[in-house]
PDB file of all heavy atoms in Angstrom:
ATOM      1  N   PRO A 121     274.677 127.399 144.910  1.00  0.00           N
ATOM      2  CA  PRO A 121     274.911 126.461 146.013  1.00  0.00           C
ATOM      3  C   PRO A 121     273.605 125.908 146.605  1.00  0.00           C
ATOM      4  O   PRO A 121     273.505 124.701 146.877  1.00  0.00           O
ATOM      5  CB  PRO A 121     275.677 127.287 147.048  1.00  0.00           C
ATOM      6  CG  PRO A 121     276.355 128.351 146.228  1.00  0.00           C
ATOM      7  CD  PRO A 121     275.370 128.677 145.137  1.00  0.00           C
ATOM      8  N   ALA A 122     272.597 126.758 146.768  1.00  0.00           N
ATOM      9  CA  ALA A 122     271.314 126.279 147.307  1.00  0.00           C
ATOM     10  C   ALA A 122     270.635 125.347 146.319  1.00  0.00           C
ATOM     11  O   ALA A 122     270.101 124.301 146.711  1.00  0.00           O
ATOM     12  CB  ALA A 122     270.411 127.463 147.639  1.00  0.00           C
ATOM     13  N   LEU A 123     270.656 125.701 145.040  1.00  0.00           N
ATOM     14  CA  LEU A 123     270.050 124.831 144.025  1.00  0.00           C
ATOM     15  C   LEU A 123     270.717 123.461 144.017  1.00  0.00           C
ATOM     16  O   LEU A 123     270.035 122.430 143.916  1.00  0.00           O
ATOM     17  CB  LEU A 123     270.145 125.482 142.648  1.00  0.00           C
ATOM     18  CG  LEU A 123     269.183 126.638 142.421  1.00  0.00           C
ATOM     19  CD1 LEU A 123     269.625 127.476 141.223  1.00  0.00           C
ATOM     20  CD2 LEU A 123     267.764 126.128 142.238  1.00  0.00           C
ATOM     21  N   ASN A 124     272.040 123.429 144.144  1.00  0.00           N
ATOM     22  CA  ASN A 124     272.745 122.149 144.197  1.00  0.00           C
ATOM     23  C   ASN A 124     272.308 121.331 145.409  1.00  0.00           C
ATOM     24  O   ASN A 124     272.118 120.113 145.301  1.00  0.00           O
ATOM     25  CB  ASN A 124     274.258 122.371 144.212  1.00  0.00           C
ATOM     26  CG  ASN A 124     274.777 122.886 142.893  1.00  0.00           C
ATOM     27  OD1 ASN A 124     274.170 122.663 141.843  1.00  0.00           O
ATOM     28  ND2 ASN A 124     275.895 123.587 142.928  1.00  0.00           N
ATOM     29  N   LEU A 125     272.166 121.980 146.556  1.00  0.00           N
ATOM     30  CA  LEU A 125     271.705 121.289 147.762  1.00  0.00           C
ATOM     31  C   LEU A 125     270.313 120.701 147.551  1.00  0.00           C
ATOM     32  O   LEU A 125     270.075 119.528 147.842  1.00  0.00           O
ATOM     33  CB  LEU A 125     271.695 122.251 148.950  1.00  0.00           C
ATOM     34  CG  LEU A 125     271.026 121.737 150.231  1.00  0.00           C
ATOM     35  CD1 LEU A 125     271.762 120.533 150.788  1.00  0.00           C
ATOM     36  CD2 LEU A 125     270.937 122.862 151.259  1.00  0.00           C
ATOM     37  N   TYR A 126     269.393 121.494 147.041  1.00  0.00           N
ATOM     38  CA  TYR A 126     268.034 121.006 146.835  1.00  0.00           C
ATOM     39  C   TYR A 126     268.017 119.830 145.862  1.00  0.00           C
ATOM     40  O   TYR A 126     267.329 118.829 146.095  1.00  0.00           O
ATOM     41  CB  TYR A 126     267.133 122.127 146.306  1.00  0.00           C
ATOM     42  CG  TYR A 126     266.940 123.264 147.275  1.00  0.00           C
ATOM     43  CD1 TYR A 126     267.083 124.585 146.858  1.00  0.00           C
ATOM     44  CD2 TYR A 126     266.610 123.038 148.609  1.00  0.00           C
ATOM     45  CE1 TYR A 126     266.900 125.644 147.741  1.00  0.00           C
ATOM     46  CE2 TYR A 126     266.438 124.090 149.497  1.00  0.00           C
ATOM     47  CZ  TYR A 126     266.587 125.377 149.058  1.00  0.00           C
ATOM     48  OH  TYR A 126     266.409 126.415 149.935  1.00  0.00           O
ATOM     49  N   ARG A 127     268.753 119.939 144.788  1.00  0.00           N
ATOM     50  CA  ARG A 127     268.754 118.863 143.788  1.00  0.00           C
ATOM     51  C   ARG A 127     269.395 117.595 144.344  1.00  0.00           C
ATOM     52  O   ARG A 127     268.953 116.488 144.030  1.00  0.00           O
ATOM     53  CB  ARG A 127     269.424 119.348 142.512  1.00  0.00           C
ATOM     54  CG  ARG A 127     268.549 120.374 141.810  1.00  0.00           C
ATOM     55  CD  ARG A 127     269.122 120.846 140.489  1.00  0.00           C
ATOM     56  NE  ARG A 127     268.164 121.731 139.842  1.00  0.00           N
ATOM     57  CZ  ARG A 127     268.440 122.969 139.454  1.00  0.00           C
ATOM     58  NH1 ARG A 127     269.656 123.470 139.625  1.00  0.00           N
ATOM     59  NH2 ARG A 127     267.506 123.714 138.883  1.00  0.00           N
ATOM     60  N   ARG A 128     270.425 117.725 145.171  1.00  0.00           N
ATOM     61  CA  ARG A 128     271.024 116.542 145.808  1.00  0.00           C
ATOM     62  C   ARG A 128     270.017 115.820 146.698  1.00  0.00           C
ATOM     63  O   ARG A 128     270.102 114.611 146.875  1.00  0.00           O
ATOM     64  CB  ARG A 128     272.248 116.933 146.641  1.00  0.00           C
ATOM     65  CG  ARG A 128     273.503 117.104 145.833  1.00  0.00           C
ATOM     66  CD  ARG A 128     274.767 117.137 146.711  1.00  0.00           C
ATOM     67  NE  ARG A 128     274.690 118.015 147.856  1.00  0.00           N
ATOM     68  CZ  ARG A 128     275.035 119.301 147.863  1.00  0.00           C
ATOM     69  NH1 ARG A 128     275.457 119.880 146.759  1.00  0.00           N
ATOM     70  NH2 ARG A 128     274.958 120.012 148.967  1.00  0.00           N
ATOM     71  N   ARG A 129     269.081 116.564 147.283  1.00  0.00           N
ATOM     72  CA  ARG A 129     268.055 115.958 148.149  1.00  0.00           C
ATOM     73  C   ARG A 129     266.838 115.475 147.370  1.00  0.00           C
ATOM     74  O   ARG A 129     265.854 115.063 147.960  1.00  0.00           O
ATOM     75  CB  ARG A 129     267.606 116.963 149.214  1.00  0.00           C
ATOM     76  CG  ARG A 129     268.617 117.207 150.309  1.00  0.00           C
ATOM     77  CD  ARG A 129     269.033 115.954 151.079  1.00  0.00           C
ATOM     78  NE  ARG A 129     267.951 115.221 151.678  1.00  0.00           N
ATOM     79  CZ  ARG A 129     267.630 115.224 152.963  1.00  0.00           C
ATOM     80  NH1 ARG A 129     268.321 115.953 153.783  1.00  0.00           N
ATOM     81  NH2 ARG A 129     266.622 114.510 153.396  1.00  0.00           N
ATOM     82  N   GLY A 130     266.869 115.569 146.036  1.00  0.00           N
ATOM     83  CA  GLY A 130     265.801 115.003 145.223  1.00  0.00           C
ATOM     84  C   GLY A 130     264.807 115.988 144.646  1.00  0.00           C
ATOM     85  O   GLY A 130     263.851 115.577 143.965  1.00  0.00           O
ATOM     86  N   PHE A 131     264.971 117.266 144.910  1.00  0.00           N
ATOM     87  CA  PHE A 131     264.076 118.261 144.319  1.00  0.00           C
ATOM     88  C   PHE A 131     264.313 118.307 142.814  1.00  0.00           C
ATOM     89  O   PHE A 131     265.451 118.201 142.348  1.00  0.00           O
ATOM     90  CB  PHE A 131     264.332 119.651 144.915  1.00  0.00           C
ATOM     91  CG  PHE A 131     263.752 119.850 146.278  1.00  0.00           C
ATOM     92  CD1 PHE A 131     264.417 119.376 147.402  1.00  0.00           C
ATOM     93  CD2 PHE A 131     262.548 120.506 146.451  1.00  0.00           C
ATOM     94  CE1 PHE A 131     263.898 119.564 148.670  1.00  0.00           C
ATOM     95  CE2 PHE A 131     262.012 120.700 147.711  1.00  0.00           C
ATOM     96  CZ  PHE A 131     262.688 120.221 148.827  1.00  0.00           C
ATOM     97  N   VAL A 132     263.234 118.471 142.063  1.00  0.00           N
ATOM     98  CA  VAL A 132     263.316 118.561 140.607  1.00  0.00           C
ATOM     99  C   VAL A 132     262.630 119.840 140.142  1.00  0.00           C
ATOM    100  O   VAL A 132     261.701 120.338 140.781  1.00  0.00           O
ATOM    101  CB  VAL A 132     262.676 117.329 139.921  1.00  0.00           C
ATOM    102  CG1 VAL A 132     263.456 116.059 140.256  1.00  0.00           C
ATOM    103  CG2 VAL A 132     261.220 117.178 140.304  1.00  0.00           C
ATOM    104  N   ASP A 133     263.105 120.349 139.013  1.00  0.00           N
ATOM    105  CA  ASP A 133     262.499 121.539 138.425  1.00  0.00           C
ATOM    106  C   ASP A 133     261.055 121.244 138.056  1.00  0.00           C
ATOM    107  O   ASP A 133     260.717 120.134 137.646  1.00  0.00           O
ATOM    108  CB  ASP A 133     263.260 121.959 137.168  1.00  0.00           C
ATOM    109  CG  ASP A 133     264.684 122.398 137.464  1.00  0.00           C
ATOM    110  OD1 ASP A 133     264.966 122.781 138.602  1.00  0.00           O
ATOM    111  OD2 ASP A 133     265.507 122.348 136.536  1.00  0.00           O
ATOM    112  N   GLY A 134     260.200 122.262 138.194  1.00  0.00           N
ATOM    113  CA  GLY A 134     258.797 122.073 137.865  1.00  0.00           C
ATOM    114  C   GLY A 134     258.088 123.387 137.646  1.00  0.00           C
ATOM    115  O   GLY A 134     258.708 124.448 137.491  1.00  0.00           O
ATOM    116  N   GLU A 135     256.790 123.292 137.681  1.00  0.00           N
ATOM    117  CA  GLU A 135     255.932 124.430 137.370  1.00  0.00           C
ATOM    118  C   GLU A 135     255.792 125.381 138.564  1.00  0.00           C
ATOM    119  O   GLU A 135     256.016 124.993 139.707  1.00  0.00           O
ATOM    120  CB  GLU A 135     254.553 123.923 136.947  1.00  0.00           C
ATOM    121  CG  GLU A 135     253.717 123.350 138.087  1.00  0.00           C
ATOM    122  CD  GLU A 135     254.102 121.949 138.572  1.00  0.00           C
ATOM    123  OE1 GLU A 135     254.955 121.282 137.971  1.00  0.00           O
ATOM    124  OE2 GLU A 135     253.551 121.523 139.609  1.00  0.00           O
ATOM    125  N   PRO A 136     255.408 126.622 138.264  1.00  0.00           N
ATOM    126  CA  PRO A 136     255.088 127.545 139.360  1.00  0.00           C
ATOM    127  C   PRO A 136     253.947 126.974 140.208  1.00  0.00           C
ATOM    128  O   PRO A 136     253.147 126.163 139.737  1.00  0.00           O
ATOM    129  CB  PRO A 136     254.644 128.815 138.641  1.00  0.00           C
ATOM    130  CG  PRO A 136     255.201 128.717 137.272  1.00  0.00           C
ATOM    131  CD  PRO A 136     255.250 127.248 136.959  1.00  0.00           C
ATOM    132  N   PHE A 137     253.881 127.395 141.435  1.00  0.00           N
ATOM    133  CA  PHE A 137     252.850 126.924 142.361  1.00  0.00           C
ATOM    134  C   PHE A 137     252.352 128.112 143.165  1.00  0.00           C
ATOM    135  O   PHE A 137     252.902 129.211 143.083  1.00  0.00           O
ATOM    136  CB  PHE A 137     253.397 125.816 143.272  1.00  0.00           C
ATOM    137  CG  PHE A 137     254.545 126.280 144.127  1.00  0.00           C
ATOM    138  CD1 PHE A 137     254.328 126.679 145.437  1.00  0.00           C
ATOM    139  CD2 PHE A 137     255.838 126.341 143.621  1.00  0.00           C
ATOM    140  CE1 PHE A 137     255.379 127.126 146.227  1.00  0.00           C
ATOM    141  CE2 PHE A 137     256.891 126.790 144.402  1.00  0.00           C
ATOM    142  CZ  PHE A 137     256.660 127.174 145.707  1.00  0.00           C
TER     143      PHE A 137
END
Side-chain angles (χ1 to χ4, degrees):
L123 286 163
N124 290 335
L125 171 63
Y126 295 132
R127 290 183 175 124
R128 279 195 312 271
R129 287 302 304 256
F131 283 81
V132 295
D133 295 338
E135 72 284 353
F137 61 97

